[in-house]
Structure formats: C-alpha cells, structure tokens
Amino acid sequence: MPSEANEQVKSFQTSDGMNYAPKGKPNQVVQPGEFIFAAAALDHGHIYGMTGGLIEAGATLKWVYDPDPAKVQAFLKSYPQAAPAANLEQILQDPEVRLVASAAIPSERGPLGLRVMDAGKDYFTDKAPFTSLEQLEAARQKVQETGRKYAVYYSERLHVESAVYAGQLIQQGAIGRVLQITGFGPHRLNAPSRPSWFFEKEKYGGILCDIGSHQIEQFLFYSGCKDAEVVHSKVANYNHAEYPELEDYGDATLVGDNGATQYFRVDWFTPDGLSTWGDGRTFIMGTEGYIELRKYTDIARDRQGDHVYLVNKDGEQHFSVRGQIGFPYFGELILDCIHRTEHAMTQEHAFKAAELCLKAQNQALHLTTSL
C-alpha cells in the first residue's frame, strides 16, 4: 500500500482549477526523440498539465503555436525546449510530429481535431472535447476515416493520484461490484482571471458539458458501464447575474447499462477561505464496501490532497497517496499512439463520456433564480 508522499513530487497550482497542472515522477516509456509532439491553441491552462504529463512519460516537445504571442511566451517560460511555430500548418506538415496536444476554446476543439487527424496525426484535447453532438459525430466519422486517435484529457481522474488508486482498488475487487457513484466537483470562479469566452455559453458549452464531463467519465470508468441514460439534469445561474450566460450550478442523475447509478453536482461556489480551488470528492459504493476520495484537500485537517478512504470486510483504511501512484495514462497514451492499441482509454469510452455530458446539458431543466 502507498507510504508517505514522495518529496520529489512538486506542488501545483491550488488557487484556480484553470491552472491545474500537477507534476509527478518521470516514468519514461520512450527514449528522447522517439515520440515527438506539439502543443497548439493555449486558451486553457490545462495545456500545461497535458504537456507536463507527456514529457514525464518521455515524449519530446518540438513545437508550440498560438495566434497570441503572449500565450506562446508564457508557455516557453515553462517549456523552453519548444520552438515557436509560425502557424498551425507548420506543425501539421511536420512529419516528425506524432501527436498534437491542444486546449483551445471548447467550441473550437472539435474542428481543430478534424484538421489534426486529416494531417495524419493523433489529437489530444482538453475536456470538454465538444460543445455539440454534431461536432461529436463529425469526430467519430473522422476517426473511422483516418484511423487516428481523438484522446481527451479528463484530468479529474487521469491526473489525480487518489482517483487513479481508486480505480486500482476497484479492479482488485476491494469493494465488489460498483453500484452507485456520487461526485462533487465544485470550482472557484475567480472571475477576473477568466477570459471572455468563459462567460459565453456558445463557446464553453454549459456547465454540464464542461466540468460535468469529468464526473460522467469517472462514472463510466469506475462502474464499468459502456453506456448510460441521463435520467434528469438541471442547471442554474443562482448568483452571477452580471454574467447572464454563465451557469454557476448543475447536477445530473444517470443510470448505466449495467444498473449502476450516479448523481453528481458541479458548481462555481468554492468559498474564498478554502485552501484549494475546489473540494472535489467522489463516493463509490459497491456490494462489499465503499471508497471516498478527497482529491484536493481534507478540509481543516490536511491541505495535501489525494486521500483515499476505504471501508470493506477488512475494516477501515486511509491511504495518503500523493506522490505514490503516478499518472500512468500519459505513458499508456504514448504507447497506444505508437502501437495503435487502446490501453490508456478506448476511443468509444472517450466519445461516450462526451456524448452523455452533451445530452445532460441539452436536456437540462433551467432553474428559475427569481425569488
């Protein structure tokens, strides 16, 4: 079982989820120069976590591109080994580049992915990967047509050690068959730091499409569902009338094709006094026990996150796993791109999570906020 956190693991941004970029121990699966990638469209800070994860797994960063020179210069401060590309075509036409990582404005992620796949390269995008079902269908068709990958950075499971460890416990049978998952994904708004597109629904897609995608992806993974039905969903703008297109609250209930169920809540109401950007928690109930994840903090007790609580026939157990588990997704993704396998995440799983978050968003009841 995990021991105390490894001192080599560096801290990451805790005040604002938009800049969430955890750093883990290098776990290289390829040699330098064996797997070359580029970063393009730097609209969301998650590009730093995506880039860092790939580099830790041995990938070589060759290019960076964004039409905004200030974003490129900021990126180069963290990754000076990248060469600034004059335009996106310079990246797409480079035969050495195997994969393009991107954190574009959400509404632009799908169209960019089509261009990348048409250029014969795999695509790795920040969540949410689409803002419409039409974009999703276009990507599905393009994957079939080109044979390229459309990978998605569902960071709240892939880049959180407690979430990775929970998956390992479930696979080992620690809580039996998973029956129900409850997830809470609160975020700190920090409105002055947000770009204008963040408040335009056509561009960010809605709260269930955006941060709700994390919750639905975790449900499919932990429960083993291949599909699910959105039974009910709702959204609201409770307290930010100055941003009329912002949804600051959302929740949904799903039933999986194997009978497992989920309820989740996402919101932009993290109080200023919390030590991190959101008190993200996941509760996983099985036939033989349950797991609780306190991902980013254990309030009023331990500001370090990645706490896993397990209760089953063996008793009550607590694991502090920061720095102990690592982030295997990135190495698995690199090897999947090389060998054309699907060990990191299947294409259908990535697309199904996107499909369900879009359906939850589209059918959501809009709550009235007037008194």
Side-chain angles (χ1 to χ4, degrees), residues 35-39 60-63 90-101 116 119-122 148:
F35 186 85
I36 293 174
F37 78 103
T60 300
L61 174 63
K62 182 175 182 180
W63 296 105
Q90 188 172 7
I91 291 172
L92 298 183
Q93 293 175 8
D94 185 344
E96 289 189 336
V97 174
R98 305 283 294 268
L99 175 142
V100 176
V116 171
K121 305 180 188 308
D122 294 317
R148 310 317 301 174

Side-chain angles (χ1 to χ4, degrees), residues 27 29 57 158 164 168 325-333 344:
N27 183 24
V29 300
L158 304 175
V164 174
Q168 295 173 359
I325 307 302
F327 307 114
Y329 171 82
F330 300 94
E332 292 170 352
L333 175 61

Side-chain angles (χ1 to χ4, degrees), residues 10 44 81 84 90 166-167 206 216 241 245 306-307 315 317 323 333 335:
K10 300 177 183 179
H44 197 292
Q81 67 268 43
Q90 188 172 7
I216 291 176
E245 295 186 39
D306 287 310
H307 293 275
Q317 300 178 76
L333 175 61
L335 295 177

Side-chain angles (χ1 to χ4, degrees), residues 196-210:
S196 59
W197 61 259
F198 179 87
F199 302 100
E200 300 174 41
K201 189 173 179 181
E202 183 178 355
K203 293 183 178 179
Y204 79 88
I207 193 169
L208 298 178
C209 169
D210 181 19

Side-chain angles (χ1 to χ4, degrees), residues 50-96:
M50 299 163 70
T51 300
L54 289 168
I55 291 173
E56 287 166 5
T60 300
L61 174 63
K62 182 175 182 180
W63 296 105
V64 60
Y65 173 72
D66 191 276
D68 182 352
K71 289 188 177 70
V72 172
Q73 290 305 310
F75 185 85
L76 291 173
K77 290 181 180 178
S78 295
Y79 302 107
Q81 67 268 43
N87 49 51
L88 181 63
E89 286 304 316
Q90 188 172 7
I91 291 172
L92 298 183
Q93 293 175 8
D94 185 344
E96 289 189 336

Side-chain angles (χ1 to χ4, degrees), residues 127-128 130-132 204-213 357-358 361:
K127 66 78 215 160
F130 312 102
T131 53
S132 73
Y204 79 88
I207 193 169
L208 298 178
C209 169
D210 181 19
I211 55 179
S213 63
C357 76
L358 289 165
Q361 184 69 54

